[in-house]
Amino acid sequence: MSLGVVGRAFTDPLTVCLDTYEVLLPEIVVDELEDIASYDDAHGCGAQAVLDQAGGFSVQSVSLDATFPLDDGENAAVTLANDIDAAMLLCDEFNQLGLIHASLANTRLVTTPTLLSVFVRNGQLDTDVAMSSLDAISEARSWDSNQYVDHARSLAT
Amino acid sequence: MNRTDALADVLGEDWTDILLTALREYLQEATHNDALVQEIAAAYYDDEVTFDQVKSLVGAEEAANLRVLKQQLDEGHIEDLAEL
């Protein structure tokens, strides 16, 4: 949802993400996006922007691992990542990252600010675009006072 | 200080006990304060405090979250991700 907030005004990070990787979403996460998309705010727009690019990702139903003390969406994402031995899991649930990280077998965890700096490093996104994207995402997600996000800015330059 | 003396008399406690209790309560409250947790996080990302110090301040669960976020800032980690 974070990347969807930015919209498609330029070579946007959502498109870069979907073009670069084979993206797989658990069905329950798509359900969550559909719920969020019904709201008329930045989160709603972000979720809708992702759903609008449904051709760019696959959806898979996942049976939840009841032993994970995580919300259904995160639970499904971790379970799916482990099932298919995914290279990366994109997750911005900062308050659950320790647990999510520990639950992943071989998959590397990535958060959106870091993913943006990966795109900059690979020449797929201009620094300016990465910065303005991060500003928009930070505002939508109330990350303004988050020190990780603040430190991540210096990585994308 | 007069008030501390008075409170010590009332509670029949030592001055030191009162100060220690106050300090303990302050630390407990402070580590649930988001702004202070972010200060602790920043010091940790900048290598000014160790993981063990962070853990003693914010608890194991939050410290584990901050450890993952610190890793997200690691140049080597980003290089690895860039190759995927």
Side-chain angles (χ1 to χ4, degrees):
Chain A
M1 190 271 282
S2 293
L3 294 179
V5 165
V6 181
R8 307 202 55 184
F10 31 70
T11 310
D12 63 291
L14 176 61
T15 303
V16 173
C17 180
L18 296 175
D19 288 352
T20 307
Y21 307 113
E22 191 186 332
V23 178
L24 212 59
L25 264 62
E27 203 168 12
I28 193 158
V29 169
V30 176
D31 293 345
E32 288 179 357
L33 285 171
E34 282 168 356
D35 282 346
I36 298 168
S38 67
Y39 292 94
D40 186 21
D41 59 9
H43 293 234
C45 292
Q48 189 58 53
V50 174
L51 294 171
D52 287 347
Q53 296 214 48
F57 56 85
S58 313
V59 181
Q60 198 161 314
S61 67
V62 182
S63 30
L64 298 183
D65 183 333
T67 62
F68 287 154
L70 295 168
D71 289 348
D72 288 354
E74 283 86 41
N75 188 332
V78 168
T79 306
L80 179 59
N82 285 336
D83 282 353
I84 63 165
D85 204 19
M88 263 197 261
L89 169 65
L90 174 61
C91 179
D92 289 332
E93 202 58 58
F94 293 170
N95 295 323
Q96 295 288 336
L97 286 184
L99 198 53
I100 291 169
H101 182 261
S103 307
L104 290 169
N106 298 311
T107 303
R108 276 178 246 225
L109 185 57
V110 67
T111 50
T112 297
T114 293
L115 186 64
L116 291 173
S117 56
V118 168
F119 291 160
V120 171
R121 190 135 330 186
N122 284 341
Q124 295 160 298
L125 209 61
D126 289 340
T127 299
D128 294 357
V129 176
M131 285 298 163
S132 55
S133 300
L134 193 49
D135 288 343
I137 295 167
S138 291
E139 196 183 335
R141 304 214 61 152
S142 309
W143 284 346
D144 289 358
S145 56
N146 188 286
Q147 289 295 316
Y148 155 64
V149 177
D150 191 57
H151 279 59
R153 280 174 205 284
S154 62
L155 294 170
T157 51
Chain B
M1 286 303 149
N2 284 338
R3 297 182 70 196
T4 316
D5 276 335
L7 192 59
D9 287 343
V10 170
L11 297 176
E13 277 183 8
D14 203 271
W15 226 71
T16 327
D17 289 337
I18 291 180
L19 288 184
L20 282 178
T21 304
L23 190 59
R24 199 176 301 124
E25 282 171 3
Y26 168 78
L27 280 172
Q28 220 158 38
E29 220 164 274
T31 48
H32 288 104
N33 170 325
D34 285 347
L36 191 72
V37 170
Q38 286 305 316
E39 290 277 340
I40 294 166
Y44 175 52
Y45 302 148
D46 293 332
D47 293 319
E48 288 161 6
V49 290
T50 65
F51 177 73
D52 285 341
Q53 286 178 305
V54 172
K55 198 167 145 186
S56 73
L57 286 170
V58 301
E61 200 176 318
E62 182 61 21
N65 294 332
L66 298 180
R67 173 140 73 179
V68 174
L69 290 173
K70 184 174 165 68
Q71 190 194 24
Q72 293 290 310
L73 297 167
D74 181 77
E75 286 288 340
H77 182 68
I78 291 172
E79 290 291 334
D80 287 348
L81 291 171
E83 283 165 20
L84 295 175

